[in-house]
Amino acid sequence: MELTRRQETILEIVKKDGPITGEHIAERLSLTRATLRPDLAILTMAGLLEARPRVGYFYSGKSFNRVLAEKIHSAMVSKIKSVPIVVSEKCSVYDAVVTMFIEDVGTLFVVREGGLLEGVISRKDLLKITLGGQDIHKLPVGVIMTRMPKVITVELEDSVWLAAYKMIVHEVDALPVIRKITTEKEQEGYEVVGRISKTNIVRFFVELGEGS
């Protein structure tokens, strides 16, 4: 986020003389309160200024980088996740390729009976096996998937920062969002409740940049 010259001036005034009302800031700049309202709203939403009724604006003491870091760490995976695309472990590689193409995703999550997470298949996994000359109509995805517990996951309450960090460290494009459950047959495992991908992360950053 790049501040305008007027926003930087407002920030300096508040740093020096805050708490200070919007009317007094406007007087100092020889502008109307209405003219300054958008700038004050941006600075407040960005976390650089704080406002209190009948008191005015005061400097939060935080740099923009620190404010941004706090927002990334406080935003939860549950807020930006998307719908997971799952297939059965008995699904053929061919059907998995078709599903990936139709759903326009780069990762499929494999579940077993009861809907518990069993593994993950990436676009790279499918490409390797397809070029290997095997009969992909008969070969089940369970043969080529990355199995639990080697699957990298996140939970609903995890931060967006943690999800992005795991993607970078483990060099994956998407992570299953999970929660621990016990099925009717008393099986314990993890239910897939969402998907968080690089696209989700990029969209989140774009929205931050727009002040959403």
Side-chain angles (χ1 to χ4, degrees):
M1 177 181 177
E2 186 174 347
L3 300 180
T4 65
R5 181 174 299 177
R6 187 162 69 194
Q7 289 164 359
E8 290 177 347
T9 302
I10 293 171
L11 204 55
E12 289 303 316
I13 290 173
V14 177
K15 280 183 184 180
K16 182 179 179 181
D17 300 322
I20 182 172
T21 65
E23 286 77 12
H24 287 151
I25 297 173
E27 289 176 7
R28 295 276 294 274
L29 296 175
S30 300
L31 297 170
T32 64
R33 176 74 171 82
T35 301
L36 283 188
R37 190 172 291 117
D39 295 310
L40 291 170
I42 289 172
L43 292 171
T44 303
M45 287 189 295
L48 299 175
L49 294 183
E50 295 184 23
R52 291 179 184 171
R54 297 186 296 277
V55 174
Y57 294 90
F58 59 95
Y59 181 54
S60 68
K62 301 173 184 176
S63 67
F64 178 73
N65 287 341
R66 183 57 192 166
V67 171
L68 181 60
E70 288 181 357
K71 288 187 176 183
I72 295 171
H73 280 272
S74 64
M76 294 190 297
V77 165
S78 59
K79 298 298 182 182
I80 71 168
K81 68 178 178 64
S82 51
V83 177
I85 307 301
V86 301
V87 294
S88 164
E89 59 183 339
K90 297 179 181 179
C91 172
S92 70
V93 170
Y94 174 82
D95 287 337
V97 171
V98 172
T99 300
M100 187 173 283
F101 176 78
I102 291 175
E103 299 292 345
D104 191 24
V105 294
T107 306
L108 299 175
F109 306 130
V110 184
V111 297
R112 57 185 166 91
E113 186 180 357
L116 300 179
L117 179 63
E118 188 74 5
V120 171
I121 309 170
S122 68
R123 186 183 288 113
K124 187 182 296 184
D125 295 327
L126 294 177
L127 180 60
K128 284 181 180 178
I129 199 67
T130 301
L131 296 177
Q134 299 192 52
D135 188 349
I136 61 174
H137 289 83
K138 296 180 180 179
L139 188 68
V141 293
V143 175
I144 67 168
M145 69 183 180
T146 299
R147 290 182 172 275
M148 292 290 284
K150 293 184 178 180
V151 177
I152 309 303
T153 65
V154 288
E155 299 183 16
L156 291 167
E157 296 78 17
D158 287 336
S159 69
V160 172
W161 178 87
L162 179 60
Y165 177 79
K166 285 187 174 183
M167 285 186 198
I168 292 172
V169 171
H170 298 284
E171 298 181 344
V172 293
D173 294 330
L175 302 172
V177 183
I178 61 169
R179 66 180 170 198
K180 192 171 184 177
I181 64 168
T182 301
T183 68
E184 294 179 356
K185 295 183 178 181
E186 300 301 317
Q187 294 177 313
E188 289 190 350
Y190 297 97
E191 177 186 18
V192 182
V193 295
R195 177 182 88 249
I196 185 163
S197 65
K198 289 181 178 178
T199 300
N200 296 117
I201 301 292
V202 170
R203 185 179 294 116
F204 171 70
F205 273 95
V206 170
E207 291 174 353
L208 276 184
E210 293 175 341
S212 302

